[in-house]
Amino acid sequence: MNSPLLDKSLDFATQIVLFYEEFSKAKKDTTIVKQLLRSATSVGANINEAIYGSSKAGFISKLHISLKETGESIYWLSLLKKTNLIEYDFDNLLSLAEEIKRMLIASLNTAKESKK
């Protein structure tokens, strides 16, 4: 199945996994980065479940979870950027997360409209 949203979420998760690996090498406390890793990888996993779900209600529910996880990822990325614990291109990651958030909102609005 060709899904730009799923592709973007996979790219995002991949970049976060690579960031996590780099951050871990810096010998800093990884508590916040582990939270980011969990939320960022959950985005795509829930989108995947939504796509292959069995009902419209399930689809909408999983996309809502993805939206919440995207928001959480944006929070953790913003916090990490603000702390300056490591030099990294957080703006690129934040931009990708914001793009995914907009796509999720549009998908949810479309799904809810077609449900009526």
Side-chain angles (χ1 to χ4, degrees):
M1 168 176 261
N2 184 19
S3 168
L5 182 55
L6 189 55
D7 292 344
K8 288 264 184 215
S9 65
L10 183 58
D11 290 344
F12 181 60
T14 301
Q15 288 184 40
I16 295 298
V17 168
L18 295 173
F19 167 72
Y20 176 81
E21 291 300 318
E22 187 171 324
F23 190 92
S24 297
K25 292 175 188 171
K27 304 290 190 236
K28 309 267 185 195
D29 180 14
T30 59
T31 304
I32 295 169
V33 182
K34 285 180 182 175
Q35 287 291 116
L36 171 62
L37 183 65
R38 284 186 201 92
S39 63
T41 55
S42 177
V43 172
N46 281 290
I47 292 168
N48 190 64
E49 283 189 47
I51 290 169
Y52 294 103
S54 59
S55 70
K56 179 72 85 170
F59 177 81
I60 291 171
S61 175
K62 290 297 180 180
L63 287 188
H64 269 291
I65 294 168
S66 290
L67 181 59
K68 289 171 26 179
E69 295 292 341
T70 303
E72 183 178 339
S73 297
I74 290 168
Y75 174 81
W76 295 126
L77 283 168
S78 298
L79 180 60
L80 285 163
K81 179 181 177 182
K82 207 166 188 163
T83 62
N84 290 316
L85 291 173
I86 187 173
E87 281 290 317
Y88 203 81
D89 185 6
F90 289 106
D91 290 334
N92 182 51
L93 293 173
L94 284 163
S95 176
L96 184 54
E98 288 290 345
E99 184 178 357
I100 291 167
K101 182 173 87 172
R102 286 189 301 274
M103 292 172 79
L104 282 165
I105 290 169
S107 295
L108 279 163
N109 288 340
T110 300
K112 288 175 183 177
E113 284 300 313
S114 68
K115 189 177 180 185
K116 292 179 181 177

